[in-house]
Amino acid sequence: MSLEKVVEKFKSGLQYCVGAYIFLFLMTKAWSFIGLPTGSIEEYQIIKYVLSTSILALVSQAVMVSAAIELAYMLFTPGPDEAVDPLILGIAGTALLVMSDENSAKTDSMLYDSIAVFLFAVSLAILFYLRFMLTKWFPKQFKDNFDKGSFENEANEVGSIHPKKAVKESKSAA
């Protein structure tokens, strides 16, 4: 097994841990919000932190950790494709943090927050466009090729699996 495959499996495991973090802590927050008894669980420092932090801030922190994992994974892979996705995750996480209640103490201006979120949205649009263009510039390095012929290849694959469906699609196309 190659080093890249081992690192990819490790990255996937870490990403699952981040997903479990989000799920468990949001369920804890929802449990407390509904008013169900939490018992002695509130004595733990991490639960105190979760209950005192807004939901958007928790999710934004998890997204930023996910971006850090993606950036670390980028060091073990060739090509420029893995550099764009962590930037998209990081900007999305930062935008969530700006929109959360945790940010209100730093800037008391809604105008500053609005401008920041607008700039984040513009930069996300630019990064998604760049990611799309990278698939055209480096088609061999991308697993999900958005190139012109990829849809036709997928249609042919479906035709080989379901011959009746392929005959119906070819009749409707004609």
Side-chain angles (χ1 to χ4, degrees):
M1 185 178 269
S2 69
L3 178 64
E4 186 175 336
K5 294 291 182 188
V6 170
V7 172
E8 185 174 0
K9 286 185 185 260
F10 184 67
K11 176 196 75 128
S12 296
L14 288 175
Q15 295 288 19
Y16 286 133
C17 290
V18 171
Y21 160 85
I22 292 173
F23 180 75
L24 291 174
F25 287 163
L26 292 182
M27 292 307 295
T28 303
K29 194 141 177 94
W31 186 274
S32 174
F33 179 76
I34 292 172
L36 297 172
T38 54
S40 63
I41 196 170
E42 289 183 15
E43 295 174 10
Y44 295 105
Q45 189 69 23
I46 193 160
I47 300 300
K48 287 180 186 177
Y49 175 75
V50 166
L51 294 177
S52 66
T53 307
S54 72
I55 291 175
L56 280 179
L58 288 172
V59 172
S60 71
Q61 291 166 1
V63 169
M64 287 183 206
V65 168
S66 177
I69 293 168
E70 288 287 332
L71 277 171
Y73 173 69
M74 179 191 72
L75 297 173
F76 293 95
T77 58
D81 58 333
E82 277 86 12
V84 178
D85 290 339
L87 288 174
I88 291 171
L89 278 173
I91 290 173
T94 307
L96 284 173
L97 186 62
V98 167
M99 291 186 289
S100 72
D101 296 336
E102 303 297 315
N103 188 43
S104 63
K106 295 173 183 64
T107 61
D108 290 329
S109 173
M110 189 176 197
L111 179 65
Y112 290 145
D113 292 346
S114 301
I115 290 171
V117 170
F118 175 74
L119 291 175
F120 289 142
V122 168
S123 63
L124 280 174
I126 291 169
L127 284 172
F128 275 113
Y129 178 74
L130 178 64
R131 186 175 186 273
F132 174 74
M133 291 307 293
L134 282 172
T135 60
K136 291 186 178 273
W137 295 332
F138 304 102
K140 293 178 184 176
Q141 294 178 352
F142 283 86
K143 295 175 187 164
D144 52 347
N145 188 0
F146 300 117
D147 210 8
K148 183 179 177 183
S150 65
F151 178 72
E152 294 162 356
N153 291 338
E154 288 177 16
N156 290 337
E157 289 175 9
V158 169
S160 67
I161 296 171
H162 300 289
K164 292 178 184 177
K165 209 176 207 183
V167 171
K168 288 181 185 177
E169 288 177 0
S170 64
K171 287 181 182 177
S172 65

